[in-house]
Amino acid sequence: MNRRHFLRQAATAGTGAAAVAALAAPAIAQENPAITWRLTSSFPKSLDIIFGAANEIAASVKNATDGKFNIQIFAAGEIVPGLQAADAVANGTVEMAHTCSYYYIGQDPAFAIGTAIPFGLNARMTNAWFTAGGGNDLINEFLAPRNLYALPAGNSGTQMGGWFRKEINTIDDLKGLKMRIAGLAGQVMQKVGVTPQQIAGGDVYPALEKGAIDATEFVGPYDDQKLGFVKVAKYYYYPAWWEGGPAMHAFFNLEKFKSLPKSYQQILTNACASANNNMLANYDARNATALKQLVAEGAILKPFSREIMDVCFKAAMELYADLSAKSPAFKKLYDSQQAFKKDAYLWAQVAEYSYDTYMMTQQRNGAL
């Protein structure tokens, strides 16, 4: 009797375990569904660090989900032009984009603050404002009515001031120039006499070569060398006072992002954070070598004069006052970033600047 009772219990337990397993399998499948998204980039494949950030995000997501969540990457122009990437996300043409927020200032100037504004934050401060200063929450509050959600996904560090066909010594030398320059920097340049042009990365070289523009800014030595600007304009100016630490973002269709399992949302967030850090490290590691090579190829390095910097700074402050009066969204983001910047530069002056100045002195003296 005991043996028969034991066998009946075992059979019942086995049936129960099988039932639980049968119920658990669909639940697990629902929590980790097979998903394929499309990502449109604003950048050409030739810019391996910037374009490569999207590939890095896709690889991280695929690995973390055991191949369940796949993101297909498309370069600028393969689905939509580079400067229409965010629009394609908002309207559901694609689920995701890798782009610069300031490409869309024609819709609202507040978009500029998502990337960089003239005389704004450097890269470390930008990341700190997004992550710990409430910046990313404010950006997404602004983007939500547009059916967009964004996460920082790259930063190039302070950029170069760009390539010019002629030498630029005074503010008058800028007047009448046609220059490829993005974001609010174009509006600042316009105030000092430049005719700004917004041109996607892959189209800049032919425009400069054919004389459609007289000058261009882009990123820095590593990318500028790849794009061959030294072949068509030899004067290479620094710094890009308009992009002290420009952020690139992953833009998501808000509804699509919300519909993801929480685990997938976290995996995407982590992947973007990793790509954000790695992009800056890659540029810091490669720009110096590329700069030396560009000089060997004929680039003439020159700093913008103090006169040019001061006049442009004044023009930028006037522009921000005007935009703050016209756009509540711009004012809210700008005021937040300005308040953060005051303390950030106070700390940088005490610690970072003093250390960097000393180390640069040692380098000039040949000790490094």
Side-chain angles (χ1 to χ4, degrees), residues 25-298:
I28 293 171
Q30 289 172 4
E31 291 172 5
N32 299 283
I35 295 175
T36 299
W37 274 13
R38 297 195 303 169
L39 180 155
T40 184
S41 174
S42 286
F43 313 105
K45 293 179 181 178
S46 59
L47 300 179
D48 58 322
I49 294 180
I50 293 184
F51 183 82
N55 288 326
E56 181 184 342
I57 292 167
S60 296
V61 169
K62 182 177 181 179
N63 290 337
T65 61
D66 293 326
K68 291 292 185 69
F69 189 177
N70 288 283
I71 301 172
Q72 299 173 342
I73 311 298
F74 297 87
E78 291 182 343
I79 295 179
V80 295
L83 301 184
Q84 296 176 21
D87 300 323
V89 175
N91 64 31
T93 300
V94 295
E95 292 83 7
M96 184 176 171
H98 188 238
T99 188
C100 290
S101 180
Y102 68 5
Y103 289 156
Y104 313 102
I105 60 170
Q107 300 175 32
D108 192 301
F111 272 102
I113 299 177
T115 301
I117 60 173
F119 303 101
L121 304 175
N122 67 17
R124 282 184 57 179
M125 294 172 190
T126 296
N127 284 332
W129 179 65
F130 279 133
T131 303
N136 210 55
D137 291 337
L138 289 174
I139 290 290
N140 281 313
E141 178 184 301
F142 164 69
L143 292 175
R146 295 167 170 80
N147 196 30
L148 291 170
Y149 178 75
L151 291 169
N155 198 303
S156 69
T158 303
Q159 297 188 354
M160 290 292 284
W163 299 87
F164 293 76
R165 288 181 177 276
K166 70 173 187 176
E167 201 167 350
I168 306 296
N169 294 314
T170 70
I171 198 70
D172 288 337
D173 292 330
L174 288 171
K175 293 178 179 177
L177 287 185
K178 292 174 290 183
M179 182 178 182
R180 183 270 182 191
I181 186 165
L184 293 184
Q187 296 183 29
V188 174
M189 282 296 214
Q190 191 169 27
K191 288 173 73 71
V192 300
V194 171
T195 301
Q197 308 286 321
Q198 183 150 290
I199 303 172
D203 300 323
V204 177
Y205 182 91
L208 193 60
E209 182 182 35
K210 295 174 183 176
I213 55 176
D214 305 303
T216 184
E217 58 81 34
F218 196 68
V219 178
Y222 182 74
D223 284 341
D224 291 358
Q225 185 185 36
K226 282 181 171 293
L227 293 174
F229 295 141
V230 69
K231 299 173 185 176
V232 287
K234 64 180 180 178
Y235 293 102
Y236 198 22
Y237 278 83
Y238 63 90
W241 43 263
W242 47 85
E243 294 190 61
M248 277 125 271
H249 275 82
F251 274 20
F252 306 94
N253 180 283
L254 180 59
E255 293 177 1
K256 291 288 187 179
F257 187 86
K258 285 183 175 179
S259 71
L260 290 173
K262 294 294 184 184
S263 60
Y264 282 14
Q265 292 180 11
Q266 188 61 56
I267 286 167
L268 266 176
T269 300
N270 293 345
C272 289
S274 177
N276 189 58
N277 291 332
N278 288 343
M279 183 185 291
L280 184 59
N282 280 321
Y283 276 120
D284 283 345
R286 291 168 172 79
N287 274 332
T289 298
L291 183 60
K292 289 185 284 188
Q293 291 171 346
L294 284 168
V295 170
E297 293 170 13

Side-chain angles (χ1 to χ4, degrees), residues 280-354:
L280 184 59
N282 280 321
Y283 276 120
D284 283 345
R286 291 168 172 79
N287 274 332
T289 298
L291 183 60
K292 289 185 284 188
Q293 291 171 346
L294 284 168
V295 170
E297 293 170 13
I300 300 173
L301 282 179
K302 296 186 74 68
F304 285 123
S305 68
R306 181 61 182 263
E307 178 209 7
I308 289 174
M309 298 283 283
D310 286 347
V311 171
C312 290
F313 182 87
K314 182 175 182 292
M317 297 306 111
E318 292 171 353
L319 177 64
Y320 299 151
D322 183 52
L323 292 176
S324 293
K326 294 178 179 177
S327 169
F330 179 88
K331 178 174 171 50
K332 186 172 186 177
L333 285 161
Y334 178 72
D335 287 351
S336 169
Q337 195 175 88
Q338 282 296 104
F340 185 88
K341 183 170 69 173
K342 288 180 180 179
D343 283 344
Y345 274 108
L346 173 63
W347 167 238
Q349 184 176 355
V350 170
E352 298 289 343
Y353 179 76
S354 57

